[in-house]
Amino acid sequence: MSRNAEDLARLIRDRAGDAPVRLGLILGSGLGHLAEAVDGTAIDYADLEGFPHAGVSGHNPRLVIGDLEGQRVAVFGGRAHYYETGRGDAMRLPLEVLRELGAEALIVTNAAGSMRPDIPPGELMLLSDHINFSGLNPLIGEPSDARFVPMTDAHDPLMRAGLKVAAEAEGVTLKEGVYAWYSGPSFETPAEIRAIRTLGADAVGMSTVPEIILARFLGLRVAAISTITNMAAGLSDESISHEHTKAMAPLGAAKLEKVLRRFLASF
Ligand code: HPA
């Protein structure tokens, strides 16, 4: 763990209290208001040296530490994407801090385009696995042998089972699928979408995969859920834009909040 992560964890504990955090939650585009559900202390990323600027609209760059359904959680209101900085490891320090605060698990959320007609915009998709189609890796340059992270079952089977049970209890449809990471920031071409569909992807987005890799590297159990905001390029007549993503994400956000609350209550 870096010195910086220890220092930041101390600063956070001084402000938010000493009780260990159990679970971290990263909020994707248009999902930022979920942080308001947490009864706790908010700290701006700007006060946490080395945290990303999270300069993408639709994100809220604050860390909120507090209680949700009786569990102590750390909610990251924004993330850094590879396409903002050219650095694949931009979320490494925040996740190191999460580990340092005591967390054992992480749930990552994002907005994504779907390639599955049975998972249309407004629905949620639980990631069963992912394809790193960017060729990038947040552990490039990590010198220790810990960099050789096994990725079989990277998407924690027990957490996924728990999330499915929670969704069912809430009457929320939660299908599982494979997420492909494209670096962005331009959206994909229809040909690229046909290519990854052929290769087994069900949804596409510009985030999450680096965070899954980093979480496993740090020994955190991890699961991820996409809110589907559009059909991927070439699969519908609707135009694809960031504005549209931000407008559609809240549709899934309400369902996501129900599922996460129910999951946490029995975590
Ligand atoms: N592609 C990539 N990222 C996205 C999409 C998409 O279609 N929708 C929301 N985020």
Side-chain angles (χ1 to χ4, degrees), residues 69-247:
E69 299 299 327
Q71 303 286 358
R72 187 128 168 109
V73 296
V75 182
F76 297 86
R79 58 154 57 88
H81 305 79
Y82 166 76
Y83 62 72
E84 291 171 71
T85 58
R87 279 184 42 214
D89 66 349
M91 287 302 285
R92 179 164 173 165
L93 179 64
L95 292 179
E96 284 182 352
V97 169
L98 178 67
R99 194 81 179 100
E100 195 64 31
L101 290 171
E104 63 200 75
L106 172 70
I107 294 182
V108 184
T109 66
N110 61 47
S114 173
M115 282 160 261
R116 288 253 303 265
D118 64 325
I119 314 182
E123 295 293 311
L124 304 178
M125 187 187 93
L126 177 62
L127 275 62
S128 57
D129 203 345
H130 68 244
I131 299 174
N132 182 351
F133 210 70
S134 72
L136 301 160
N137 195 296
L139 296 177
I140 290 172
E142 162 62 36
S144 75
D145 275 0
R147 64 187 159 187
F148 300 115
V149 180
M151 294 298 287
T152 317
D153 281 340
H155 297 257
D156 192 87
L158 267 180
M159 287 176 75
R160 279 161 49 208
L163 286 163
K164 281 192 274 190
V165 168
E168 192 161 338
E170 290 294 335
V172 171
T173 306
L174 184 61
K175 295 198 174 141
E176 277 195 302
V178 174
Y179 174 95
W181 176 34
Y182 258 93
S183 73
S186 54
F187 284 98
E188 305 73 32
T189 65
E192 286 165 342
I193 293 302
R194 283 196 299 277
I196 49 173
R197 181 74 193 116
T198 307
L199 294 174
D202 299 298
V204 62
M206 305 178 192
S207 67
T208 300
V209 169
E211 293 147 21
I212 303 277
I213 296 169
L214 286 166
R216 294 307 303 137
F217 171 68
L218 294 168
L220 291 161
R221 295 167 59 201
V222 63
I225 299 182
S226 295
T227 55
I228 300 299
T229 54
N230 56 282
M231 294 309 290
L235 299 182
S236 108
D237 293 337
E238 207 153 12
S239 63
I240 296 174
S241 68
H242 187 55
E243 288 311 312
H244 185 261
T245 298
K246 285 188 294 181

Side-chain angles (χ1 to χ4, degrees), residues 4-19 21 41 43-44 47-48 51 63-65 72 74 76 93-94 97-98 100-101:
N4 208 3
E6 286 170 25
D7 290 346
L8 289 175
R10 202 169 306 119
L11 182 156
I12 291 166
R13 276 193 220 100
D14 283 349
R15 288 215 207 164
D18 276 341
V21 165
T41 306
I43 305 174
D44 289 339
D47 293 347
L48 300 168
F51 264 50
L63 174 65
V64 181
I65 309 272
R72 187 128 168 109
F76 297 86
L93 179 64
V97 169
L98 178 67
E100 195 64 31
L101 290 171

